[in-house]
Amino acid sequence: MRVSIIVPTRNRPDTLAIALQSIRQQTYEFLDIIVVDDASDDFNAKSNISVTSKFGEGVQYFYLPAINGRPQGAACSRNFGVRNSCGDIVGFCDDDDYWLDGQHLEVVANYLSENSEIDVIYANQLTAFEGSIISRVWQPDFVRHIKGRARDINNIVRLTKAESMFSCDRFPHLNATLYRRRLFELVGGFSENLTFYQDLDFFLRAVDSASGLCYMDADVSVHNRPNRSRSSNLSSDLGSVERALWDADVTRRLAYTCHDPFVSDYARRLTATHLRDLSLLYVKNCEFDKAALAARTALAWRFSIKWLAYTSWLGLKAIN
């Protein structure tokens, strides 16, 4: 069983080298690494080529040119990488993150070879900020919820879809998740029309269509949380209101299109959360009419007595 790991990158040859080195340390023999350079400038593209070439024939480099002066985006890069790979299992590692467990792919590949009904398997990821580990558990509520579940010799736990949707604050990160290629192709890969939440959108659609899921209780990767004050990407430039509107629109669509009731309910919960956040942002800006409308919409997506009282108060505030 072959594994393909896609590494999207742009203008970060130094961290790309660290990411590739961490993937190269995997003990699994049947491994391909696909680096997709999303419109790096000339200097960094040459550096990326040089970095990639140092890791041998098992690492391929592709360059995606800018379109209308803009990079094509992470979703396009990941889809392109999968299309140009041949693995039965596909995974991803962001160029500013890295992997920890050198036996991760070997354990997962062997498990998936013996359990053909499992389509998705994910693990724990540490969080770092400016060189220091700030969190050792990526989904603390989820981990506590499955603490008593039976697991095999490799600490792999079989999950129901309800269990995989338990934690609403965080979903499994791409760095720590592996998918069967057949599932990736079934759901059509990442949605290239989305600016944000492509990873959540893909994960929910994948779980919605998956035959089986597992969690491996192991630390397999480190996510370097970006310093937003230093970022120059679209996410950091976009205002809080616009981002909340965008996020609510993505999860609203998922709530309508996902078929599994647990996945759909998860999307509904997230939609209500984004709309509540939007309402609070409008209150902060003293836009009480908009705040009341967002609050009522949030209440329709997920009812609670506490939020009903708040919505009623906002309605009175808007009238006055």
Side-chain angles (χ1 to χ4, degrees), residues 24-309:
R24 261 305 196 195
Q25 290 175 350
Q26 291 293 312
T27 58
Y28 192 64
E29 179 180 0
F30 305 105
L31 170 64
D32 303 316
I33 305 172
I34 311 295
V35 176
V36 183
D37 190 334
D38 188 14
S40 288
D41 59 43
D42 290 343
F43 175 82
N44 283 297
K46 291 177 182 177
S47 297
N48 288 338
I49 293 172
S50 176
V51 165
T52 303
S53 66
K54 294 177 181 178
F55 290 94
E57 296 181 356
V59 183
Q60 298 181 67
Y61 173 89
F62 295 90
Y63 184 85
L64 293 184
I67 296 180
N68 297 323
R70 296 187 64 87
Q72 296 189 37
C76 291
S77 298
R78 292 174 181 130
N79 286 343
F80 180 91
V82 174
R83 286 197 301 271
N84 286 275
S85 69
C86 58
D88 307 290
I89 305 167
V90 295
F92 307 88
C93 182
D94 291 343
D95 67 347
D96 58 340
D97 300 328
Y98 59 93
W99 285 5
L100 290 173
D101 186 352
Q103 293 184 312
H104 176 218
L105 293 184
E106 186 169 355
V107 171
V108 169
N110 290 337
Y111 186 85
L112 293 181
S113 294
E114 297 169 0
N115 299 274
S116 60
E117 74 282 6
I118 300 300
D119 288 326
V120 182
I121 184 166
Y122 56 95
N124 185 51
Q125 175 173 255
L126 311 185
T127 306
F129 182 69
E130 297 190 339
S132 299
I133 299 297
I134 59 173
S135 175
R136 304 200 69 86
V137 183
W138 184 254
Q139 294 179 283
D141 291 342
F142 165 77
V143 170
R144 283 192 293 269
H145 181 68
I146 66 165
K147 186 175 181 179
R149 288 293 312 278
R151 52 197 68 201
D152 71 4
I153 192 172
N154 292 307
N155 279 328
I156 294 177
V157 182
R158 289 190 175 234
L159 301 175
T160 64
K161 292 189 180 183
E163 288 170 329
S164 70
M165 296 289 103
F166 179 80
S167 179
C168 206
D169 58 339
R170 274 186 176 175
F171 56 95
H173 198 282
L174 280 173
N175 292 341
T177 309
L178 292 161
Y179 299 88
R180 286 196 190 270
R181 184 186 202 90
R182 69 190 184 201
L183 178 64
F184 186 94
E185 294 175 345
L186 176 65
V187 302
F190 293 88
S191 297
E192 297 182 5
N193 62 318
L194 296 183
T195 305
F196 308 107
Y197 255 11
Q198 308 107 322
D199 46 358
L200 172 69
D201 171 80
F202 173 71
F203 177 71
L204 292 191
R205 289 187 291 110
V207 172
D208 191 49
S209 297
S211 297
L213 304 93
C214 285
Y215 174 75
M216 185 165 69
D217 192 4
D219 302 334
V220 301
S221 57
V222 174
H223 169 61
N224 284 301
R225 196 180 75 185
N227 188 332
R228 297 300 181 188
S229 65
R230 299 179 183 176
S231 298
S232 59
N233 57 27
L234 182 59
S235 178
S236 59
D237 293 338
L238 196 66
S240 299
V241 169
E242 289 81 4
R243 180 61 193 264
L245 283 166
W246 178 279
D247 292 347
D249 186 60
V250 172
T251 54
R252 181 189 294 114
R253 179 180 57 80
L254 288 164
Y256 284 127
T257 56
C258 290
H259 302 290
D260 186 272
F262 295 108
V263 180
S264 179
D265 179 68
Y266 181 92
R268 291 183 65 87
R269 284 185 282 151
L270 280 180
T271 302
T273 297
H274 295 319
L275 291 169
R276 290 178 182 182
D277 291 344
L278 179 63
S279 178
L280 295 173
L281 288 169
Y282 281 137
V283 168
K284 187 177 180 180
N285 295 336
C286 296
E287 299 178 87
F288 294 106
D289 288 343
K290 292 180 179 179
L293 177 59
R296 290 195 299 272
T297 309
L299 191 65
W301 279 95
R302 190 180 187 191
F303 180 82
S304 80
I305 296 296
K306 183 178 179 179
W307 194 254
L308 174 62

